Amino acid sequence: MLEYEVAAIYYFVAGIITAQPYFEEVPLDMLLPCVFYPTPAPAASGFSVNAFMTEFAMYIKFMDHSTMAAYEMGEKVLQAIMGNRRKVPLVDEAGKLTGKNFRVNMPKLKKIENGVYQLELSWNRHTRYNAKEVTLARDIFMNGLPIGKED
């Protein structure tokens, strides 16, 4: 499922700026301007008795010949995200819009070195626990009878 969110971010950014995309590694002979989309870093935590939450953080790097040019790319994307109420449209396998969105947390743009600006995007995903385990947790028995049932 994560690939849909990364693809959605890619298509969103590609609709705003024109830059060479890189996904796994940036080669030494990279083309400029470029955008590097690293694999998001997940952090899981409990959420409720039925679901858990995973927060993903993705550090997108905008690179160009000058720091100002890299900043301009990142700033355009930041403004577009904020202008869309922090919603990124989801796409299907063919890259077509699905009509659904996911919301990112407050994005942050900062300079990390000359010619490189980084946009931190994070979002939360809520996932239900395995249905069988949730069902077992709900079925509480006392003296062999389910609680709440009357004979």
Side-chain angles (χ1 to χ4, degrees):
M1 179 84 175
L2 180 60
E3 60 272 8
Y4 290 111
E5 293 157 338
V6 174
I9 292 168
Y10 163 73
Y11 279 103
F12 187 80
V13 171
I16 299 163
I17 62 169
T18 302
Q20 174 67 38
Y22 293 107
F23 293 93
E24 292 184 21
E25 293 181 14
V26 178
L28 293 176
D29 60 343
M30 66 182 167
L31 299 174
L32 291 177
C34 68
V35 180
F36 175 56
Y37 300 91
T39 303
S45 64
F47 181 69
S48 71
V49 295
N50 291 333
F52 63 94
M53 182 180 78
T54 307
E55 180 179 5
F56 294 94
M58 187 174 187
Y59 302 93
I60 301 169
K61 293 175 182 62
F62 299 92
M63 296 175 251
D64 208 334
H65 293 288
S66 73
T67 302
M68 184 55 74
Y71 166 77
E72 287 174 0
M73 287 191 298
E75 177 66 13
K76 284 181 185 178
V77 173
L78 176 70
Q79 292 301 320
I81 290 170
M82 294 305 293
N84 203 35
R85 298 180 188 256
R86 299 188 341 254
K87 293 186 288 185
V88 177
L90 287 167
V91 295
D92 62 14
E93 295 86 3
K96 305 264 185 199
L97 294 174
T98 64
K100 297 179 181 179
N101 302 292
F102 72 98
R103 187 179 299 274
V104 297
N105 300 326
M106 199 60 73
K108 298 173 189 153
L109 183 66
K110 68 178 183 177
K111 177 184 172 184
I112 57 171
E113 64 181 82
N114 289 337
V116 182
Y117 260 80
Q118 175 178 280
L119 179 66
E120 179 185 341
L121 284 184
S122 64
W123 64 94
N124 300 329
R125 181 192 300 155
H126 298 91
T127 308
R128 292 178 96 46
Y129 289 118
N130 296 336
K132 183 177 178 183
E133 292 175 8
V134 171
T135 303
L136 289 174
R138 287 186 191 154
D139 292 339
I140 300 174
F141 292 86
M142 182 174 279
N143 294 331
L145 297 173
I147 293 179
K149 282 194 171 184
E150 296 180 344
D151 290 322

